[in-house]
Amino acid sequence: FRGVPFRSETAPSEVAAAAVAPAPERIALLQELPAQIQREIPTLAINGYIYASNPADRSVLINNRLRREGDTLADGLVLEKLLPREMVLNYRGYRYRVSY
């Protein structure tokens, strides 16, 4: 195979497609969860929040208690992530988001 120039078998359009990041997972709104699950989730009163680029500096005031990412808010209900305008919660495997 001497003297044979290297040739990529990948077309330029395939390279460009591979460089594009996958679309982020869409997280449902509370209203989009099954009705039975919506009835089980405790009501949360959001009294304020602080968003920062550093996750350790983020917090939200829920039912007059300061909460952080990873906190359990009620039986089976976990605060997964605080975002600039909403938070992601997980209730028994059902992920959903709530706006501030």
Side-chain angles (χ1 to χ4, degrees):
F1 297 100
R2 258 189 239 169
V4 177
F6 174 77
R7 182 173 162 205
S8 172
E9 296 298 322
T10 305
S13 61
E14 292 173 335
V15 172
V20 175
E25 172 191 359
R26 185 184 179 285
I27 300 170
L29 295 170
L30 174 62
Q31 302 86 334
E32 297 171 336
L33 296 180
Q36 176 61 38
I37 297 301
Q38 289 182 47
R39 287 189 291 272
E40 291 178 19
I41 296 173
T43 301
L44 303 176
I46 302 167
N47 309 105
Y49 71 96
I50 297 172
Y51 180 81
S53 57
N54 180 1
D57 295 332
R58 300 174 191 166
S59 61
V60 61
L61 197 58
I62 299 175
N63 299 340
N64 293 315
R65 291 188 61 195
L66 191 63
R67 303 301 194 136
R68 299 194 184 279
E69 293 178 352
D71 285 355
T72 298
L73 308 178
D75 185 35
L77 181 61
V78 175
L79 172 59
E80 279 192 3
K81 189 164 188 74
L82 294 170
L83 301 169
R85 292 189 172 87
E86 60 191 5
M87 62 183 170
V88 177
L89 301 160
N90 188 319
Y91 179 72
R92 302 182 193 276
Y94 288 89
R95 294 180 77 217
Y96 67 99
R97 57 194 164 101
V98 174
S99 296
Y100 301 123

